């Protein structure tokens, strides 16, 4: 058995265990699929995604979301793996309510999600969650399980362009990049809440947005982010344990921006 295949099997077992093994799972991902390889793959995936999806053409909207994202990134700076640069891009698709991170730290957010949100804090909750997928290296971990170490390295090095194109192309049809495990989603919720609070946003934005999704029929988001109502309750319990949380929601500012950008 090849060493990389053996590591993939061990890694798959780790991801089925309790959260106590999460640090070991990340360490395994660091060994099998280092950031340098993830960045190579991310550049190719970004080209494919932006060729098959419509990037919003308003530079002011892009700058507005990048500005919000920059606050989250600054709050998460001590957790960001060395070599990864997190960026944010708005995709012009008003019917898709979703956001996702790809290898290398690029995060895409659909205009459908922005339309559904009511405040900056709600958007910050989503951005914090996606940033946490990057900082915790969930992207690399899921890819290892889905694709396997050998094929993943070939895709990153450009030796399997069809596999890479197929993986990236699924975004256009499905509205997401990866389906994470429940443990990964809860982990991203925990870290994302911390990031948005440190960035100065009221964490209730996370709760209100997920409650909103739990009360609605949003197939794309529900398929990739299971049990929104339950996660809102869990987040609320976590927030009760926090002290001196920010009060800023940015509701008025966000409403004005939505009108400005026609969302």
């Amino acid at each position: 058995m090849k060493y990389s295949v053996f590591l993939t099997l061990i890694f798959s077992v780790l991801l089925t265990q309790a959260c106590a093994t999460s640090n070991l799972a990340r360490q395994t991902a660091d060994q099998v699929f280092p950031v340098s390889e993830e960045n190579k793959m991310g550049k190719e995936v970004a080209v494919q995604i932006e060729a098959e999806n419509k990037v919003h053409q308003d530079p002011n909207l892009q700058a507005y979301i990048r500005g919000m994202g920059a606050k989250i990134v600054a709050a998460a700076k001590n957790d960001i793996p060395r070599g990864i640069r997190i960026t944010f891009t708005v995709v012009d698709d008003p019917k898709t309510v979703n956001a996702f991170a790809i290898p290398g730290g690029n995060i895409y957010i659909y205009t459908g999600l922005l339309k559904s949100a009511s405040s900056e804090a709600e958007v910050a909750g989503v951005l914090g969650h996606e940033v946490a997928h990057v900082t915790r290296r969930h992207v690399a971990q899921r890819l290892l399980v889905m694709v396997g170490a050998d094929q993943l390295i070939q895709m990153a090095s450009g030796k399997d362009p069809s596999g890479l194109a197929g993986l990236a192309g699924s975004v256009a049809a499905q509205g997401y990049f990866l389906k994470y495990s429940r443990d990964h989603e809860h982990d991203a919720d925990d870290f994302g809440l911390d990031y948005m609070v440190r960035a100065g946003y009221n964490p209730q934005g996370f709760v209100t947005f997920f409650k909103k999704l739990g009360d609605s029929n949003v197939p794309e988001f529900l398929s990739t982010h299971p049990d929104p109502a339950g996660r809102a309750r869990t987040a609320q319990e976590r927030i009760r344990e926090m002290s001196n949380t920010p009060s800023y929601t940015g509701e008025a500012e966000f409403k004005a921006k939505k009108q400005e950008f026609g969302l």
Side-chain angles (χ1 to χ4, degrees), residues 121-122 124-126 129 185 188-190 192-193 196 202-211 228 231-232 234-236 239:
E122 289 190 349
V126 174
H129 177 89
E185 292 289 12
D189 286 351
D190 285 344
L193 273 172
M196 70 180 296
N202 188 330
Q204 289 297 334
F206 182 98
V207 174
T208 57
F209 190 68
F210 273 80
K211 278 185 176 179
R231 289 167 65 193
T234 301
Q236 186 67 73
I239 292 168

Side-chain angles (χ1 to χ4, degrees), residues 56-131:
H56 203 285
Q57 294 301 299
D58 191 333
N60 294 321
L61 174 58
Q62 297 287 355
Y64 176 55
I65 298 303
R66 283 199 304 269
M68 291 179 59
K71 295 178 184 178
I72 304 294
V73 170
K77 64 179 181 180
N78 292 333
D79 295 339
I80 299 173
R82 180 174 296 182
I84 283 185
R85 178 175 175 267
I86 300 177
T87 63
F88 302 87
T89 302
V90 178
V91 176
D92 190 3
D93 184 347
K95 294 183 179 180
T96 299
V97 182
N98 218 341
F100 61 86
I102 67 171
N106 294 321
I107 293 172
Y108 292 87
I109 182 167
Y110 290 91
T111 52
L113 190 146
L114 298 178
K115 288 181 65 175
S116 297
S118 302
S119 67
E120 287 188 359
E122 289 190 349
V123 177
V126 174
L127 297 182
H129 177 89
E130 295 303 329
V131 167

